Amino acid sequence: MYIDTFPTAAATLPQMLSGNTALVIDVFRATSTMTTALANGASQILPAATVSEARQLAADLTPGSYLLGGERKAVLIPGFDLDNSPRAYGEDLVKAKTIVFTTSNGTKAIRRATTAQNLFLAAFLNARAAAKLAAETKRDVFLVCAGTNDKFSLDDAVCAGLLIEHLTSLKPRARLSDFSLALHQLYLAHRHKLAQLMAKASHHRRLLDLNLKDDITYCLQQDIFNLVPLWDGSKIISP
Amino acid sequence: MYIDTFPTAAATLPQMLSGNTALVIDVFRATSTMTTALANGASQILPAATVSEARQLAADLTPGSYLLGGERKAVLIPGFDLDNSPRAYGEDLVKAKTIVFTTSNGTKAIRRATTAQNLFLAAFLNARAAAKLAAETKRDVFLVCAGTNDKFSLDDAVCAGLLIEHLTSLKPRARLSDFSLALHQLYLAHRHKLAQLMAKASHHRRLLDLNLKDDITYCLQQDIFNLVPLWDGSKIISP
């Protein structure tokens, strides 16, 4: 098994994913939020690349059966039901609902990774389960960090390092690309002080400026879910 | 001062360098070799993007006044005088000579960075001097890692981490991009065991396969030169 990592959605090469397994990571907050929504009973998630595409997807659904969720510039999109806070996707709201979802980085990364044979969503919240599922595919694994506005984002990169730690524990003979190796070493060097490292990340600072400290704390919890969202060719579901 | 880092020549955004300072890094081996050539008395280096461009540049020079140097796939180019081994550029050969130079990654990175206000070449061999010169420009500093065939290369990335350590020592209030921060932390976590970390790099393994262990040992020496090659708009010279 070979493990490679893309630093951003824009840098992801869809042709390399063909026949392989992709783990899309957007810690703050898209993959954390989608994992939470499915864990709380949402029936499916339709990722849209743009706000207008999200509205078009919703127009074909029965009123009352869906919620519009996501963000632009980290805040609620006008006319949408939910923003991109995982804590907003409680069971009372999302159970049995379709979520039409668009975010600045995470949903773009998913759309770029749909060439993969297997496409799973990963975050700290489900890292161990996501790595296990990816290892079981017996394909090469590509970690697709969403990044922030086409820039490398420390939160996604450290989560990639954690996933590589789990993957190499499960598959000790896996070969790592240099970038995977660097992120693995970065994670190992900071595993007991992740919060301090994360506090230096630019995206982290931006969320703090928006009073979203509770979202950060929530998203940095490890393995509170065994659920790994998967793209089935047309939607994101719980396996 | 803001410090950002590009992972490869291809990922380098020339427009971001405009008005700023670029440090181009290709540890194995282009910037190590060019620094050595100038330290040994070469008068100037003309970086060519392609082999045919190198031959065209040479055709305009007086026979005997220049040497053709560089590599493709890490070995000597047919008809060239010198390969890309820094140990080949001894004073006996290069003194007062023009070096027309083309490599797979390093010279491409330089060509992509010529939009910078100040363009310097850096390697482990001259890291402290290169960081000092960059800090003195009082501009934002962009570390341009050449990478290997458009892939992130651990050797360049760790050298970037060392340069960031020197830069932040000189300018403690410098702001780091997330990628710069990650490489700085990677360097700090491995500063006392760099050789072991480097031994895992893919480029390192490839050079070993070519019996170039002595080049690796040479290129990983820190601060044996105070010379920092600079691009003056048409050629690379010693300041």
Side-chain angles (χ1 to χ4, degrees), chain B residues 9 24-26 30-31 34 45-51 53 69-72 84 100-114 119 121 146 231 236:
Chain B
V24 174
I25 306 162
D26 188 358
T31 57
M34 288 188 271
I45 299 169
L46 307 181
T50 64
V51 172
E53 189 187 317
E71 55 73 35
R72 283 298 180 274
N84 190 25
V100 182
F101 195 69
T102 182
T103 67
S104 306
N105 308 291
T107 50
K108 278 186 195 158
I110 292 166
R111 297 289 290 257
R112 253 184 113 68
T114 54
L119 194 175
L121 306 191
W231 170 256
I236 292 164

Side-chain angles (χ1 to χ4, degrees), chain B residues 93-145:
Chain B
L93 279 178
V94 305
K95 194 168 177 64
K97 290 282 202 313
T98 292
I99 313 290
V100 182
F101 195 69
T102 182
T103 67
S104 306
N105 308 291
T107 50
K108 278 186 195 158
I110 292 166
R111 297 289 290 257
R112 253 184 113 68
T114 54
T115 46
Q117 176 82 15
N118 310 286
L119 194 175
F120 305 121
L121 306 191
F124 284 104
L125 302 179
N126 69 345
R128 188 179 295 274
K132 183 164 179 285
L133 201 55
E136 285 169 359
T137 66
K138 300 183 191 303
R139 306 273 175 163
D140 290 342
V141 176
F142 290 79
L143 307 178
V144 177
C145 297

Side-chain angles (χ1 to χ4, degrees), chain A residues 81-124:
Chain A
D81 302 297
L82 298 164
D83 62 15
N84 191 25
S85 170
R87 296 173 301 121
Y89 289 70
E91 187 175 354
D92 53 327
L93 280 177
V94 305
K95 193 168 177 65
K97 290 284 203 312
T98 291
I99 314 290
V100 182
F101 195 69
T102 183
T103 68
S104 306
N105 308 290
T107 51
K108 276 186 196 158
I110 293 167
R111 295 290 289 261
R112 256 185 110 68
T114 55
T115 47
Q117 176 83 13
N118 310 287
L119 194 175
F120 304 121
L121 305 191
F124 284 104

Side-chain angles (χ1 to χ4, degrees), chain B residues 123-171:
Chain B
F124 284 104
L125 302 179
N126 69 345
R128 188 179 295 274
K132 183 164 179 285
L133 201 55
E136 285 169 359
T137 66
K138 300 183 191 303
R139 306 273 175 163
D140 290 342
V141 176
F142 290 79
L143 307 178
V144 177
C145 297
T148 305
N149 303 328
D150 295 347
K151 291 269 290 183
F152 172 97
S153 199
L154 193 64
D155 40 307
D156 297 337
V158 172
C159 186
L162 167 62
L163 289 161
I164 294 164
E165 170 63 6
H166 288 317
L167 286 165
T168 53
S169 295
L170 293 163
K171 300 281 179 185

Side-chain angles (χ1 to χ4, degrees), chain A residues 46-68:
Chain A
L46 306 181
T50 63
V51 172
S52 63
E53 188 188 316
R55 292 192 205 280
Q56 282 168 21
L57 286 170
D60 291 336
L61 300 172
T62 310
S65 72
Y66 71 88
L67 295 166
L68 276 163

Side-chain angles (χ1 to χ4, degrees), chain B:
Chain B
M1 182 200 282
Y2 176 65
I3 303 173
D4 204 349
T5 305
F6 294 112
T8 63
T12 300
L13 301 174
Q15 69 276 21
M16 288 186 68
L17 304 179
S18 176
N20 292 312
T21 294
L23 286 169
V24 174
I25 306 162
D26 188 358
V27 169
F28 296 145
R29 297 168 288 169
T31 57
S32 299
T33 297
M34 288 188 271
T35 302
T36 301
L38 291 176
N40 284 336
S43 59
Q44 57 178 353
I45 299 169
L46 307 181
T50 64
V51 172
S52 64
E53 189 187 317
R55 293 192 204 280
Q56 281 168 24
L57 286 171
D60 291 336
L61 301 172
T62 310
S65 73
Y66 70 89
L67 295 165
L68 276 163
E71 55 73 35
R72 283 298 180 274
K73 297 186 178 173
V75 301
L76 182 73
I77 298 162
F80 273 42
D81 303 296
L82 298 165
D83 63 13
N84 190 25
S85 170
R87 296 173 303 121
Y89 289 70
E91 187 175 355
D92 53 328
L93 279 178
V94 305
K95 194 168 177 64
K97 290 282 202 313
T98 292
I99 313 290
V100 182
F101 195 69
T102 182
T103 67
S104 306
N105 308 291
T107 50
K108 278 186 195 158
I110 292 166
R111 297 289 290 257
R112 253 184 113 68
T114 54
T115 46
Q117 176 82 15
N118 310 286
L119 194 175
F120 305 121
L121 306 191
F124 284 104
L125 302 179
N126 69 345
R128 188 179 295 274
K132 183 164 179 285
L133 201 55
E136 285 169 359
T137 66
K138 300 183 191 303
R139 306 273 175 163
D140 290 342
V141 176
F142 290 79
L143 307 178
V144 177
C145 297
T148 305
N149 303 328
D150 295 347
K151 291 269 290 183
F152 172 97
S153 199
L154 193 64
D155 40 307
D156 297 337
V158 172
C159 186
L162 167 62
L163 289 161
I164 294 164
E165 170 63 6
H166 288 317
L167 286 165
T168 53
S169 295
L170 293 163
K171 300 281 179 185
R173 295 175 63 188
R175 285 184 309 114
L176 305 188
S177 71
D178 275 17
F179 192 46
S180 301
L181 182 68
L183 298 185
H184 188 209
Q185 293 296 322
L186 180 70
Y187 167 76
L188 290 177
H190 295 82
R191 62 194 302 172
H192 301 303
K193 43 186 175 176
L194 278 188
Q196 291 103 301
L197 177 63
M198 287 299 198
K200 299 176 181 176
S202 57
H203 200 168
H204 184 281
R205 289 196 303 268
R206 205 153 47 116
L207 292 177
L208 280 185
D209 291 344
L210 292 165
N211 283 320
L212 293 170
K213 185 163 186 289
D214 289 345
D215 275 8
I216 295 172
T217 305
Y218 176 87
C219 292
L220 293 183
Q221 299 172 101
Q222 285 184 36
D223 302 314
I224 65 170
F225 297 126
N226 280 316
L227 184 152
V228 183
L230 75 82
W231 170 256
D232 77 349
S234 63
K235 58 194 180 295
I236 292 164
I237 55 171
S238 172

